[in-house]
Amino acid sequence: MDAVIRSETARQATATALRILAVAVAYYVSGRIGLLRQVTVRGAVVTPLWPPTGVAVGCLLYWGLRVWPGIAIGALLAVAWTAQSLDFGDIGIIAGNTLAPVCAFLMLRKADFRMDLSRLRDGTALVFLGALGAMLVSATAGTSLLLLENKLPKSGYWPVWFAWWAGDAVGVLMVTPLLLLLRRLRLPRRTDRWVEAGALVIAAAIVVPVATGSHYALLFLVFPLLIWAALRFELAGSAPCALLVAVLAVIAATGRAGSFSSLTLFEAMINLTALNGSVALTALLLAAIVTEHKNVRRRIERACEELADVVEQLLPGEKRRGWPSSDTRRRDSG
């Protein structure tokens, strides 16, 4: 019996170690991707979209708090890649980048967050607790340490803080829903759904580049697309569309193209944050509302079927003649 217990303990320890390694690799790789569009605000390097925060929150929701060392290792590797040598400030930034996703996970767990995002409260919790709230930790810690080490002038504190917070928050809003979607993603079986999905992909491939790259301020064109995706495909449609909008908008803003061409860097970051926040709110909350509505309708239909079966059993035999059977009612409702 002791051998079995030791074997099970060793198996669990190995699985945890592999998950920690996977989190570290995913954090580092997504960090390298995020740094491809880095910008310099008042001498500090920030990213308008920082995917590792979304990866970290998603991994914590999947595997629990035990994989937090993977976030710290990944943050260490990402910071070491950009810095010539690690100092006290860098260690503090790593700690802040680790603590922020942990705070997001704890607050979401306290709010009874469900990973299927099937309720409006789940989408609201992810937006306001997991992204906008928890990422205050990393932004405040990182910017304050830069200020204390005289790597940042006092006049640049709030611009850098805002850019840091926005990049981390958008990373959660755009990446975490996609990771949560993977556990329940199913391919559509109906032919007409494939046709509509293909039409949505083609529309997104045309509309989003035009909206983000045009000089005529056409960014509003992405919202009908997001509404279509959320209403017809729920999170499976709205989350990828939102990520596409965010990525192309970041490319346009950092390259000063399209609607961002005449703006200063800070003005572009403000406009980009407002756009990505609005896109995330529309995609997540509308998809959650549609999913919740469908689940409520299914529960009501099941309750009506069960009630009809009870009434059928209680009716006398004479009155029950001509009363449609439960199978007939289900066929008629279908």
Side-chain angles (χ1 to χ4, degrees):
M1 191 62 171
D2 292 339
V4 174
I5 295 175
R6 285 196 297 270
S7 176
E8 180 65 19
T9 303
R11 187 187 67 82
Q12 292 178 356
T14 302
T16 300
L18 291 176
R19 289 172 178 174
I20 290 173
L21 179 62
V23 172
V25 172
Y27 192 104
Y28 174 69
V29 171
S30 59
R32 291 287 298 268
I33 295 173
L35 288 170
L36 293 176
R37 306 304 299 187
Q38 64 184 9
V39 295
T40 302
V41 179
R42 304 295 176 88
V45 175
V46 295
T47 56
L49 171 60
W50 186 238
T53 55
V55 171
V57 174
C59 291
L60 287 171
L61 290 172
Y62 268 117
W63 294 324
L65 202 57
R66 66 183 64 183
V67 299
W68 74 264
I71 302 173
I73 296 171
L76 173 63
L77 295 175
V79 171
W81 185 72
T82 58
Q84 296 180 350
S85 60
L86 295 178
D87 54 22
F88 174 76
D90 294 326
I91 300 301
I93 290 173
I94 294 169
N97 289 348
T98 304
L99 184 59
V102 170
C103 290
F105 168 73
L106 294 176
M107 288 193 292
L108 289 174
R109 188 172 64 177
K110 186 69 174 179
D112 190 28
F113 176 79
R114 295 181 184 176
M115 290 198 296
D116 57 2
L117 290 169
S118 60
R119 304 173 300 174
L120 177 60
R121 61 178 295 183
D122 298 324
T124 304
L126 183 61
V127 171
F128 292 101
L129 296 180
L132 303 183
M135 296 307 117
L136 295 172
V137 175
S138 55
T140 303
T143 311
S144 299
L145 286 168
L146 291 177
L147 183 64
L148 290 174
E149 291 197 326
N150 296 321
K151 294 180 179 179
L152 181 69
K154 292 182 179 179
S155 60
Y157 181 87
W158 289 113
V160 172
W161 181 92
F162 176 80
W164 196 314
W165 170 74
D168 286 359
V170 172
V172 175
L173 292 175
M174 297 301 175
V175 178
T176 300
L178 282 177
L179 294 180
L180 298 181
L181 183 65
L182 295 177
R183 67 192 300 266
R184 59 186 184 90
L185 186 63
R186 299 292 184 273
L187 295 178
R189 298 179 181 179
R190 291 163 41 191
T191 305
D192 58 336
R193 298 286 285 175
W194 277 107
V195 173
E196 186 177 4
L200 178 62
V201 170
I202 294 173
I206 296 174
V207 172
V208 178
V210 171
T212 55
S214 174
H215 293 273
Y216 295 102
L218 299 177
L219 291 173
F220 60 87
L221 290 178
V222 303
F223 290 100
L225 186 72
L226 290 169
I227 294 171
W228 176 17
L231 290 179
R232 297 295 295 159
F233 298 97
E234 302 169 48
L235 191 64
S238 63
C241 285
L243 181 61
L244 177 63
V245 173
V247 170
L248 293 186
V250 167
I251 294 174
T254 54
R256 307 295 176 79
S259 300
F260 305 94
S261 58
S262 60
L263 303 177
T264 65
L265 178 59
F266 186 60
E267 291 171 344
M269 292 301 100
I270 292 178
N271 281 267
L272 179 63
T273 301
L275 172 65
N276 286 338
S278 301
V279 165
L281 283 171
T282 302
L284 290 180
L285 299 187
L286 185 56
I289 290 173
V290 173
T291 303
E292 187 174 32
H293 174 74
K294 286 185 176 181
N295 290 338
V296 170
R297 187 181 66 183
R298 292 191 190 101
R299 288 196 294 267
I300 292 175
E301 290 175 352
R302 287 197 297 267
C304 290
E305 291 175 358
E306 293 173 359
L307 180 60
D309 291 337
V310 172
V311 173
E312 183 180 351
Q313 295 297 324
L314 294 177
L315 282 175
E318 293 79 3
K319 293 184 178 181
R320 196 163 58 230
R321 293 173 183 173
W323 183 270
S325 65
S326 59
D327 293 337
T328 302
R329 290 193 300 274
R330 293 189 182 97
R331 288 197 300 271
D332 291 342
S333 63

